[in-house]
Amino acid sequence: MKNTQKYLLKAVGDTPIVSVSFKPTIIGDHCINICIGEQKRSNYMLYKQVLMAAQAAKTEYVATAEDDMLYSEEHFKYR
């Protein structure tokens, strides 16, 4: 996961990150983590976490990212 986070930080540049996780997660300096505690994993929880992050975001647009995928810079710049 640390390697994936390294590539995520490179791809987003100075764009702020809001993460929602079951356990406290530190990604980088300009990242906010919302820890919701252990939950049953489900599609419902996935979409609930995305909604929580979108509501906490202070930007006009949001992009989603999974912790087990690599993303290019274009993924976060597309509007």
Side-chain angles (χ1 to χ4, degrees):
M1 190 161 109
K2 292 290 181 194
N3 197 36
T4 306
Q5 288 177 353
K6 181 178 85 172
Y7 283 98
L8 175 66
L9 290 172
K10 182 180 176 186
V12 300
D14 62 352
T15 302
I17 296 174
V18 177
S19 66
V20 180
S21 60
F22 296 151
K23 296 179 182 177
T25 304
I26 299 171
I27 298 175
D29 295 335
H30 59 281
C31 305
I32 298 168
N33 177 245
I34 301 169
C35 179
I36 59 174
E38 279 297 325
Q39 305 285 324
K40 182 178 177 186
R41 297 178 190 277
S42 66
N43 287 338
Y44 171 78
M45 280 308 302
L46 172 70
Y47 288 106
K48 185 174 180 179
Q49 287 174 268
V50 170
L51 177 61
M52 291 172 73
Q55 289 173 330
K58 304 216 181 325
T59 56
E60 185 176 0
Y61 299 98
V62 297
T64 60
E66 292 289 326
D67 65 348
D68 58 351
M69 295 285 296
L70 297 177
Y71 297 91
S72 65
E73 292 178 33
E74 291 78 18
H75 176 78
F76 300 102
K77 292 181 180 179
Y78 180 77
R79 302 288 184 263

